[in-house]
């Protein structure tokens, strides 16, 4: 049974590879000069000809040159993110309530002039200035609020009443505080308390930011960075043990902060990992209307980002600091990141897990390159993604974190 | 009757101004510190605080400093458009057919590696190397093809059969050739012969371009520039009398070419004129779903463009060269452009017309600033726009062109 499935998948891939060859640069292969008549072919060709400048190539980067490569990556990310020089004001606490086993605080940060960005802080009982603890900056996914992460009702901005005990999954911050870790939960821009009168407006705000030569990820990572820097100053937090934990959309600011801030101790990457450039160039099968939309919306657009690097390159720069990836992807990419951790002298600090459905290696397809002309479902299948199983994987993360936090004389 | 209408509009404006005051930075006025909690308020505030650097201010720019300001504008546009250093190959003619009163040629240009961009050339009978004529580069609007402009069937890429005699409006190139002008008709990227297998894909291709740190307007203006440069080399064209004529979306590349290329003789701007930044900041009334979408799609997005200038500033830089605007806008903006032409010593070279519905000055509202919180219909009303009357205004343009082309010893 298993063998048949693998064989069937292999045949699909072969078919798709042939399709790709015949559909080069947007289906213009009928021209003898192989030029693209369709603008789609022209712009895909432009992206194909401009591979990321800083791609991590394990065979080319040695332990000696690894730091120099990381420095180049950091320079490029600094340039792309366009963070302001300073925040507008220091964060202030505005409310504190007691919960069972922890204290829940609401704070406000002021990352830009005329702007306020609230966040939640969950402090385990027994943790204080005399007994500081590790801390996790918890960044939610698309459509998630800081309140969900903290186990509160989604609209409980005043921290009134009881926590929402019906929540089972994705209470990232609550899971951490129960494990003795100070948890700081933030909102992504344009959602939850930061939404437009309750209306999520990721795309609208992204457009304004892009017009201003900034980006949704630039703003998000700046908001998160202000809060991360504040965390380092809090007496109940051990600044040597700050973790950044991102779910789904939240893995993007995680990567930015990781590359820009060497003081972060470890990273929890709770999403599947892929090459976003490869996805754009291959997930281009026409839909029922004949349209071939870009795979994601403009909250993911940072002009020029993909000319510099892609996600696996950035995760590679986090070496030798501990990283866990909890929802798989292509073994090809994990092999590259693994090589980076070996180059950095800490192979044991990178751990990854596939979705349960693809945990058995025989269920996974080994591809060196995605075939083009595929739809979202095929992309997910070939990238070993099981969308219904996309949630915060505490059961993998907490033991892994404990192992790393207990190291080095804790 | 008229007085009542004007009074009613004045009351609407007053109401809208009050609404604006109470709805500052995205409706967060309840906070005592006036900080925006909504990301929408934060990003609108960011745009408001970053006014265009090079806005034309009639009181500040003198005849002496006008050239220096234009040079700064040109530098900024050059940087924003990111045109390549050179085309891939020279254009080639691929077909020629005779039409009644003119010859119709199809050419191919090669603006980028691996890309082909066809265009049409309409040459009046009697025009040749011994008897060269003025020429117009004709750039269509959204959803229009070069074939429409030339009076051909939309899918007649092979120039077979007869022209489409059912077309009445928007046959810009045909109108020019009948007036004795060589007309060169181009497609905008992502539509017509450049579409994705017949599917318009402006947004999809724009996204790829933005990922590559380019833009739809950057590509469009580059494609048009290659063809404009080719026009200057054609023996049947008088290179001293090349006009750029843009309809609707086509006015954007018109402005780019005008600012980048001093050799263009005159400009036909067939759209209403507005400040696109002001539109984004005021046309933000929630729709029936509570959403406040940006007023246009990402084919209009050039990151950083609005930090430098807006449309009236660019049209102002075209002075002293002749410009006609055929579909109105706000008198405020025309006053500014008029001042630029006076500063450049050629007030007679700028002519503008309102939509027929607003030709009578008593029908127009005089505003110094648009009120915010308005919807598209209100914006159009306050900007004196009559959408059903949006078409190519040959009856205004041809006499105006004749007047200017006959000048200076023709």
């Amino acid at each position: 049974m298993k063998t048949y499935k693998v064989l069937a998948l292999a045949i699909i891939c072969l078919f798709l590879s042939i399709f790709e060859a015949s559909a080069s640069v947007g289906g213009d292969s009928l021209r003898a000069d192989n030029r693209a008549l369709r603008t789609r072919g022209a712009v895909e060709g432009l992206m194909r000809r401009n591979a990321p400048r800083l791609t991590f190539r394990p065979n080319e980067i040695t332990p000696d040159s690894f730091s120099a490569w990381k420095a180049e990556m950091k320079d490029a990310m600094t340039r792309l993110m366009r963070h302001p020089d300073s925040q507008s004001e220091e964060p202030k606490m505005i409310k504190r309530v007691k919960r069972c086993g922890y204290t829940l605080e609401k704070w406000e940060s002021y990352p830009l002039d005329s702007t306020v960005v609230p966040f939640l802080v969950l402090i385990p009982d027994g943790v204080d200035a005399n007994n500081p603890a590790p801390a996790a900056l918890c960044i939610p996914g698309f459509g998630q609020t800081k309140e969900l992460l903290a186990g509160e009702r989604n609209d409980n901005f005043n921290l009134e009443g009881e926590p929402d005990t019906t929540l089972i999954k994705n209470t990232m911050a609550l899971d951490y505080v129960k494990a003795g870790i100070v948890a700081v939960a933030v909102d992504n821009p344009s959602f939850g308390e930061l939404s437009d009168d309750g209306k999520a407006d990721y795309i609208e705000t992204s457009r304004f930011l892009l017009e201003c030569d900034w980006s949704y990820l630039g703003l998000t990572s700046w908001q998160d960075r202000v809060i991360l820097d504040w965390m380092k100053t809090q007496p109940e937090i051990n600044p040597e043990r700050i973790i950044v934990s991102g779910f789904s959309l939240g893995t993007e600011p995680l990567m930015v902060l990781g590359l820009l801030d060497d003081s972060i101790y470890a990273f929890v990457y709770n999403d599947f990992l892929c090459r976003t450039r490869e996805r754009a160039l291959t997930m281009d099968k026409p839909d029922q209307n004949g349209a071939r939309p870009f795979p994601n919306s403009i909250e993911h657009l940072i002009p020029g980002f993909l000319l510099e690097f892609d996600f696996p390159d950035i995760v590679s720069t986090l070496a030798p600091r501990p990283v866990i990836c909890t929802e798989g992807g292509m073994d090809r990419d994990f092999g590259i990141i693994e090589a980076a951790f070996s180059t950095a002298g800490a192979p044991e600090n990178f751990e990854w897990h596939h979705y349960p459905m693809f945990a058995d290696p025989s269920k996974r397809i080994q591809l060196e390159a995605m075939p083009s002309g595929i739809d979202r479902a095929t992309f997910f299948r070939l990238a070993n993604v099981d969308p219904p199983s996309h949630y915060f994987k505490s059961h993998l993360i907490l033991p892994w974190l404990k192992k790393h936090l207990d190291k080095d004389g804790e």
Side-chain angles (χ1 to χ4, degrees), chain A residues 89 91-92 107-111 115-119 223 226-227:
Chain A
E89 271 182 53
K92 289 185 200 121
W107 288 68
E108 283 184 354
S109 63
Y110 311 98
T115 303
V116 53
V117 174
F119 58 98
Q223 291 189 176
V226 161
I227 295 167

Side-chain angles (χ1 to χ4, degrees), chain A residues 144-410:
Chain A
Q144 293 185 338
T145 61
K146 63 187 181 305
E147 287 74 22
L148 167 68
L149 270 46
E152 299 291 318
R153 283 173 287 114
N154 258 333
D155 59 352
N156 187 16
F157 302 139
N158 295 321
L159 309 185
E160 285 169 358
E162 297 300 308
D164 183 351
T165 53
T166 65
L167 300 170
I168 307 168
K169 284 178 179 171
N170 296 323
T171 54
M172 186 197 298
L174 187 62
D175 296 352
Y176 285 134
V177 79
K178 286 180 179 172
I181 296 167
V182 176
V184 176
V186 300
D187 278 316
N188 291 317
S190 321
F191 198 73
E193 199 170 6
L194 305 184
S195 68
D196 187 16
D197 205 14
K199 184 86 191 169
D201 61 343
Y202 297 96
I203 292 176
E204 293 78 6
T205 55
S206 298
R207 178 64 189 277
F208 274 95
L209 289 161
L210 289 160
E211 291 288 348
C212 293
D213 214 12
W214 210 8
S215 63
Y216 182 85
L217 184 56
L219 174 64
T220 305
S221 59
W222 171 243
Q223 291 189 176
D224 294 344
R225 187 177 174 182
V226 161
I227 295 167
L228 175 68
D229 285 343
W230 167 89
M231 288 169 72
K232 298 176 196 168
T233 68
Q234 296 308 294
E236 70 272 18
I237 290 175
N238 176 357
E240 310 282 316
R241 290 292 181 277
I242 293 178
I243 296 141
V244 177
S245 177
F247 180 76
S248 206
L249 178 62
T251 58
E252 294 186 13
L254 172 152
M255 287 187 276
V256 174
L257 296 177
L259 187 42
L260 297 186
D261 187 335
D262 296 326
S263 80
I264 300 165
Y265 181 72
F267 302 90
V268 173
Y269 187 108
N270 200 122
D271 197 359
F272 76 96
L273 180 78
C274 79
R275 299 188 195 181
T276 191
R277 175 177 174 274
E278 177 179 56
R279 182 155 63 144
L281 286 170
T282 61
M283 215 181 87
D284 60 358
K285 184 178 176 178
D287 64 19
Q288 67 275 23
N289 300 317
R292 302 197 284 166
F294 202 85
N296 60 27
S297 300
I298 60 168
E299 72 262 22
H300 301 275
L301 166 61
I302 305 100
F305 188 94
L306 297 180
L307 301 179
E308 301 292 349
F309 36 55
D310 207 335
F311 292 175
D313 308 310
I314 306 172
V315 176
S316 294
T317 68
L318 304 180
R321 292 174 288 169
V323 175
I324 185 171
C325 290
T326 63
E327 295 189 336
M330 291 169 73
D331 285 324
R332 171 198 69 184
D333 296 329
F334 291 119
I336 288 170
I337 299 170
E338 203 173 26
F341 275 78
S342 290
T343 303
E348 72 285 3
N349 279 357
F350 182 55
E351 180 172 316
W352 75 98
H353 300 266
H354 282 278
Y355 279 107
M357 183 187 279
F358 301 109
D360 175 350
S362 75
K363 299 281 179 64
R364 301 197 294 271
I365 304 168
Q366 302 302 329
L367 287 176
E368 266 314 297
M370 281 275 171
S372 69
I374 61 179
D375 60 14
R376 185 175 297 265
T378 306
F379 179 86
F380 279 167
R381 177 61 196 88
L382 297 178
N384 308 310
V385 179
D386 176 25
S389 185
H390 180 42
Y391 59 85
F392 189 67
K393 303 286 191 297
S394 291
H395 66 286
L396 300 173
I397 293 159
L398 295 174
W400 175 84
L401 262 186
K402 182 167 168 36
K403 182 178 72 178
H404 283 284
L405 292 171
D406 286 351
K407 276 200 303 196
D408 309 324
E410 281 278 317

Side-chain angles (χ1 to χ4, degrees), chain A residues 9-29:
Chain A
L9 282 165
I11 291 169
I12 290 169
C13 294
L14 183 66
F15 170 78
L16 290 167
S17 306
I18 293 166
F19 181 81
E20 177 181 32
S22 69
S24 62
V25 287
D28 286 313
S29 59

